[in-house]
């Protein structure tokens, strides 16, 4: 599931650790939109973390003084590519594949929409933006389908009339998040919980959201003691021996 972070005009931008956590759990590209006077600016298609961070640094002053929304994507429809990153402009005649621009209305979405994209190359959000553009007021169209999509979806629209939120959001000191899946249980106040673990059912490493990761991407400091032992046994080439000694398992035969 993707994640959106919304910053109210008077709030501070999220810290670097929060941004990195959101990217790590949603690594298929990022985008940003922010208010500039009566209009909305946007930039998307950031497929590398360092490029997105450089953009934030370059525009640090402007972003600090206005309303901002950032989107970090996990692909569900349309593949992993720059043009399926968010946001999507809603002005009539705007190109949904444009990587930047200044518009009147712009939207981001988190979830899986109950609609079929008109092309296998576009995402469900791109499809929603195309449908919304067919109406005189795209934000009113999106608001009208609130009950239809809000159970498992979150949408934010920057429009001339104001900011529209669809679905339930999590508020935290002027920041709003479409979900908190990127946070560890420790961050949420429940004590330390590992952010990575070894899944014995399919013999793979996963992050706290249940997505498979390479062992090279696992941070051993964010493992339980048991999984930390498994981690170093694999890294040190002692995996078969360790499994046999710890659990009596013949992993070579599994």
């Amino acid at each position: 599931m993707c994640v959106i972070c919304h910053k109210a005009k008077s709030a501070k931008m999220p810290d670097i650790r929060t941004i990195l956590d959101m990217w790590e759990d949603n690594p298929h590209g990022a985008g940003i939109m922010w208010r500039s006077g009566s209009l909305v600016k946007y930039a998307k298609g950031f497929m590398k973390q360092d490029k997105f961070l450089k953009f934030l640094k370059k525009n640090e002053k402007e972003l600090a003084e206005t309303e901002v929304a950032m989107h970090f994507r996990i692909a569900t429809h349309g593949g992993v590519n720059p043009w399926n990153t968010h946001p999507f402009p809603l002005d009539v005649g705007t190109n949904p594949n444009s990587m930047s621009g200044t518009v009147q209305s712009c939207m981001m979405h988190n979830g899986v929409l109950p609609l079929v994209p008109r092309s296998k190359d576009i995402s469900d959000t791109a499809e929603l933006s195309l449908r919304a553009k067919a109406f005189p007021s795209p934000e009113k169209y999106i608001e009208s389908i609130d009950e239809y999509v809000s159970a498992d979806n979150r949408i934010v629209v920057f429009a001339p009339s104001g900011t529209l939120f669809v679905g339930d959001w999590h508020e935290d000191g002027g920041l709003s998040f479409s979900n908190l899946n990127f946070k560890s249980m420790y961050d949420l106040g429940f004590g330390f919980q590992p952010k990575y673990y070894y899944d014995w059912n399919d013999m793979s490493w996963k992050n706290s959201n249940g997505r498979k990761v390479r062992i090279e991407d696992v941070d051993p400091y964010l493992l339980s003691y048991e999984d930390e032992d498994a981690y170093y046994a694999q890294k040190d080439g002692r995996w078969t021996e360790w499994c046999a000694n710890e659990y009596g398992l013949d992993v070579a035969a599994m």
Side-chain angles (χ1 to χ4, degrees):
M1 181 179 288
C2 309
V3 66
I4 304 169
C5 174
H6 172 270
K7 180 190 86 73
K9 181 178 180 179
S10 60
K12 293 182 178 180
M13 287 287 285
D15 59 39
I16 186 65
R17 184 66 261 170
T18 299
I19 292 172
L20 292 176
D21 284 346
M22 288 189 289
W23 183 288
E24 178 183 319
D25 277 358
N26 305 275
H28 294 161
I32 185 171
M33 61 185 184
W34 67 101
R35 291 194 181 273
S36 178
S38 61
L39 298 175
V40 180
K41 292 182 179 180
Y42 71 93
K44 58 188 283 186
F46 296 97
M47 307 306 290
K48 299 292 184 181
Q49 186 182 92
D50 60 335
K51 290 187 176 181
F52 186 60
L53 295 178
K54 287 178 181 177
F55 179 89
L56 296 181
K57 184 64 178 177
K58 179 181 178 181
N59 296 278
E60 183 176 20
K61 187 175 186 301
E62 183 178 6
L63 297 175
E65 297 174 350
T66 190
E67 184 181 13
V68 178
M70 294 180 286
H71 186 282
F72 301 83
R73 183 174 185 248
I74 280 286
T76 54
H77 298 84
V80 178
N81 48 58
W83 48 90
N84 274 326
T85 58
H86 301 215
F88 290 88
L90 295 176
D91 295 19
V92 174
T94 51
N95 181 356
N97 295 335
S98 175
M99 295 296 104
S100 63
T102 302
V103 294
Q104 291 188 336
S105 300
C106 215
M107 68 164 287
M108 291 175 169
H109 162 245
N110 166 203
V112 179
L113 292 164
L115 51 80
V116 179
R118 63 194 65 189
S119 164
K120 64 180 178 61
D121 297 321
I122 69 171
S123 70
D124 51 344
T125 311
E127 175 64 29
L128 176 62
S129 72
L130 293 172
R131 295 187 186 189
K133 286 180 185 181
F135 288 78
S137 175
E139 64 271 20
K140 287 186 178 180
Y141 167 74
I142 293 171
E143 187 175 22
S144 73
I145 62 172
D146 187 335
E147 293 184 5
Y148 178 55
V149 304
S150 63
D152 298 307
N153 290 272
R154 312 290 180 265
I155 299 172
V156 59
V157 181
F158 284 4
S161 58
T163 300
L164 169 67
F165 291 95
V166 172
D168 296 324
W169 292 68
H170 303 270
E171 306 289 334
D172 183 11
L175 298 176
S176 300
F177 298 93
S178 58
N179 66 72
L180 298 177
N181 293 346
F182 66 94
K183 286 181 172 284
S184 69
M185 295 300 285
Y186 178 82
D187 295 330
L188 295 173
F190 296 104
F192 174 78
Q193 291 291 327
K195 200 156 187 177
Y196 300 94
Y197 66 98
Y198 190 74
D199 188 341
W200 287 92
N201 291 318
D202 60 4
M203 307 290 282
S204 66
W205 288 100
K206 295 182 178 179
N207 64 19
S208 57
N209 291 331
R211 288 191 287 272
K212 289 184 179 181
V213 296
R214 301 176 307 161
I215 191 171
E216 291 80 8
D217 297 327
V218 173
D219 184 346
Y221 292 102
L222 298 177
L223 293 170
S224 67
Y225 289 124
E226 179 179 349
D227 282 338
E228 186 178 353
D229 290 340
Y231 172 87
Y232 284 112
Q234 288 190 22
K235 292 288 284 186
D236 298 340
R238 299 179 290 106
W239 181 236
T240 301
E241 177 186 355
W242 183 82
C243 287
N245 292 337
E246 281 298 306
Y247 300 107
L249 294 176
D250 181 4
V251 293
M254 297 176 70

